[in-house]
Amino acid sequence: MSQLKELEKQEQTNSKASRSTKSSGLGACEWLLVLISLLFIIMTFPFSIWFCIKVVQEYERVIIFRLGHLLPGRAKGPGLFFFLPCLDTYHKVDLRLQTLEIPFHEIVTKDMFIMEIDAVCYYRMENASLLLSSLAHVSKAVQFLVQTTMKRLLAHRSLTEILLERKSIAQDAKVALDSVTCIWGIKVERIEIKDVRLPAGLQHSLAVEAEAQRQAKVRMIAAEGEKAASESLRMAAEILSGTPAAVQLRYLHTLQSLSTEKPSTVVLPLPFDLLNCLSSPSNRTQGSLPFPSPSKPVEPLNPKKKDSPML
């Protein structure tokens, strides 16, 4: 429904503009010149007809000006059209889609960043008579209008929105442009933001910020990995402490992996019973190997009895 309303508004504006561009009638002298020209064409009919007929292509329309006045009615074409070679001048208008490249121009964003953008505008001529009577340089008019419209629209958006929401920005710009160009007889079909150019200082600051965010993510992932690894090691230690046979199998598997990965390495395995003795609770509390306790002095078996003082 909104599109139908927009089309109706465009038709109304085009009809009003075409009515305003209708030329006034010819004067007496001008009508006299027209009659003389027609009589001359009739008198030289077999030869003059080749100078009074032109061909218009399917994608073209012709606007005829007679003695400087725009002839009433719609544009001529496609096909043959008749004109007076001495009094009439005609202008062809191409109705095909035109492409206009908008050069880089500076804009200021909502968060006070200065950047340069360029765009591509696709438009076509919708009303040839209105276009010729209202605009002198179509491409320049459309270019300046696109630049001013983009500056006005992007002043209300931040840098992140401009970089991520190009499609919605282009659609808003198309609607804003079409509301103005319909008065000129031009239909804007599409507009696209081609490139965004940031200053060198802003690029450096954004790169530093992005690198800091990536480093933070790397540290978080590494911390989560260490946490998961510690949880797995804790669970494995609890399982191995409950089953002594599993500890012995793990010990043998480690020896096998060492001999496979490094064949030149000489491995001298210790007996598992000795390892159990070394890992006993009393040794773990002391933190070192057991040392023999100092021996008490041994009394002689046959000690010599001392003489009594009485003797």
Side-chain angles (χ1 to χ4, degrees), residues 37-56:
S37 179
L38 289 175
L39 289 174
F40 179 76
I41 291 172
I42 293 172
M43 292 172 60
T44 60
F45 171 69
F47 303 100
S48 61
I49 193 64
W50 300 104
F51 300 94
C52 299
I53 294 178
K54 295 291 182 179
V55 179
V56 183

Side-chain angles (χ1 to χ4, degrees), residues 280-293:
S280 61
S282 61
N283 294 332
R284 286 197 300 269
T285 57
Q286 293 179 1
S288 61
L289 293 175
F291 293 97
S293 60

Side-chain angles (χ1 to χ4, degrees), residues 191-241:
I191 185 170
E192 292 290 342
I193 298 176
K194 187 178 178 182
D195 193 10
V196 177
R197 183 183 295 174
L198 302 177
L202 181 57
Q203 289 182 7
H204 179 69
S205 61
L206 291 177
V208 171
E209 183 181 357
E211 183 65 24
Q213 291 179 357
R214 286 194 293 269
Q215 291 293 335
K217 289 182 180 179
V218 168
R219 292 175 182 175
M220 291 177 61
I221 293 171
E224 291 177 358
E226 291 180 359
K227 180 181 178 182
S230 62
E231 290 290 337
S232 301
L233 290 174
R234 183 183 62 80
M235 295 175 63
E238 291 177 356
I239 295 172
L240 291 176
S241 63

Side-chain angles (χ1 to χ4, degrees), residues 131-145:
L131 177 67
L132 289 178
S133 60
S134 59
L135 283 181
H137 303 284
V138 178
S139 59
K140 286 185 178 180
V142 175
Q143 176 183 338
F144 294 151
L145 181 63

Side-chain angles (χ1 to χ4, degrees), residues 292-303:
S293 60
S295 60
K296 295 180 180 180
V298 182
E299 296 181 357
L301 295 176
N302 295 321

